[in-house]
Amino acid sequence: MSEKIARGTVRTTRSDVLLASAGGRGVLCGIYDEDAADTYHDLMQDADGTAEAREFADRIRPESGPVLELAAGTGRLTFPLLELGHTVTALELSAAMLDILRKRLENEPPDVRDRCTVVQGDMTAFALDERFETVVVSSGSVNVLDDAGRPGLYASVRENLAPGGRFLLAVAVAEAVKSESTERQQELSGLSGRRYVLHARMSPVEEIHEITIYPADETADPFVVCTNRIRLLKVDQVVRELEQAGFDVVSRTPFASAGQGSEDVLLLEALPRVAGS
Ligand SMILES: C[S@@+](CC[C@H](N)C(=O)[O-])C[C@H]1O[C@@H](n2cnc3c(N)ncnc32)[C@H](O)[C@@H]1O
């Protein structure tokens, strides 16, 4: 096989089959990598985080200062938070995602742009100059971290929270956690009009959700195959991990939008336990 593979990219059962037939045209990349940026942006451009941002904003005190958003991606949640009047520090690991976020910010009026600070960083190990009263993580983002990465996230959040601050974490209650192993495939249309195939494999036994996205046109050159592996996490497990990391989970609230065709999401509100309490 002579396909190009970006470092650190996960292979999926589907990507192996696809790349075997694409030969030299095949490019395998992680969904958040540079080679996938076009595909990601084409498919995600109109993904609207407004409803999710409102769920967070309901729990952010207006006077609480800048909000730290972790794993901000291309800003699906960042822009609605800015629109709601918050000042946001958006931390993200992928340079490709950050490029898109920065370009989007350039198109915003100065009063919005000036309220956003963009930081390239690893949410499992970060130390910023400022302490935040609110740290938020969008739904799906904690799932990108493996068992070794999540403790680093919780420890870094504790370190970067101001006294009395809160950690707001949206956790998807993946259906597959409750059911058997499944595979499904669907065609998607990008905003550019390009067609893609999304193949998803959920394996509760392996506790993973594998995603493979590739061109519907089998002759595409390059034939870019984007992959991602998400951990299927039970909410109770995340709550337990937070408690072990020294947080008290003071509320778990279902998103108001839950049950309307999208997956169910719970918003966890966690406060660092104060020594001696
Ligand atoms: C499910 S996406 C969510 C993006 C965005 N918050 C949204 O709601 O659209 C997960 C994001 O986490 C980023 N990411 C993965 N590992 C990370 C890490 N260790 N630190 C910071 N960001 C990371 C990915 O690059 C990706 O942009």
Side-chain angles (χ1 to χ4, degrees):
M1 217 185 294
S2 54
E3 84 276 7
K4 187 180 146 202
I5 304 178
R7 202 152 39 93
T9 303
V10 297
R11 311 187 76 108
T12 59
T13 48
R14 189 78 189 126
S15 70
D16 282 348
V17 175
L18 292 163
L19 292 166
S21 46
R25 287 180 298 120
V27 178
L28 177 66
C29 53
I31 193 100
Y32 308 122
D33 294 347
E34 197 182 332
D35 284 330
D38 277 350
T39 305
Y40 186 92
H41 199 40
D42 202 16
L43 288 171
M44 295 296 288
Q45 247 182 97
D46 62 348
D48 186 3
T50 305
E52 187 168 341
R54 287 214 183 91
E55 306 270 0
F56 282 105
D58 283 350
R59 286 161 189 82
I60 302 174
R61 287 193 299 270
E63 70 285 4
S64 66
V67 174
L68 172 61
E69 184 196 355
L70 302 176
T74 59
R76 187 184 64 89
L77 197 64
T78 319
F79 288 94
L81 284 172
L82 290 167
E83 259 165 49
L84 289 166
H86 294 287
T87 298
V88 181
T89 295
L91 180 142
E92 162 65 42
L93 185 62
S94 155
M97 296 286 113
L98 282 176
D99 276 353
I100 297 173
L101 175 53
R102 286 199 182 98
K103 282 198 188 102
R104 291 184 66 188
L105 270 176
E106 281 166 19
N107 295 327
E108 293 291 329
D111 69 301
V112 174
R113 210 185 312 144
D114 293 348
R115 280 188 284 110
C116 188
T117 306
V118 177
V119 178
Q120 184 167 22
D122 182 344
M123 64 175 153
T124 69
F126 63 93
L128 303 176
D129 293 338
E130 186 181 354
R131 295 284 169 272
F132 295 82
E133 278 203 33
T134 318
V135 178
V136 303
V137 182
S138 73
S139 82
S141 292
V142 72
N143 305 72
V144 303
L145 300 178
D146 60 17
D147 291 351
R150 290 192 303 279
L153 165 71
Y154 309 135
S156 297
V157 170
R158 270 193 74 111
E159 286 299 308
N160 287 269
L161 271 175
R166 65 196 58 203
F167 181 25
L168 301 174
L169 182 75
V171 183
V173 185
E175 247 182 69
V177 174
K178 310 166 203 157
S179 61
E180 296 303 306
S181 182
T182 52
E183 279 190 54
R184 69 180 170 84
Q185 190 159 303
Q186 74 182 98
E187 251 194 64
L188 304 173
S189 205
L191 278 191
S192 66
R194 282 198 298 272
R195 308 278 301 160
Y196 302 87
V197 179
L198 180 148
H199 180 273
R201 185 175 80 88
M202 293 237 195
S203 169
V205 174
E206 297 163 83
E207 298 185 332
I208 55 148
H209 182 184
E210 264 184 9
I211 304 275
T212 313
I213 300 176
Y214 52 97
D217 173 7
E218 289 169 8
T219 64
D221 188 4
F223 189 82
V224 180
V225 179
C226 308
T227 58
N228 194 21
R229 183 171 295 143
I230 300 163
R231 277 92 204 155
L232 297 173
L233 291 172
K234 296 197 175 80
V235 174
D236 283 348
Q237 179 184 345
V238 178
V239 170
R240 211 170 33 248
E241 290 176 357
L242 282 164
E243 288 177 349
Q244 279 164 1
F247 286 91
D248 286 325
V249 177
V250 294
S251 69
R252 333 171 163 202
T253 317
F255 272 19
S257 51
Q260 294 172 4
S262 60
E263 59 191 346
D264 291 350
V265 178
L266 281 184
L267 185 54
L268 303 181
E269 184 176 358
L271 309 181
R273 204 171 299 126
V274 180
S277 69

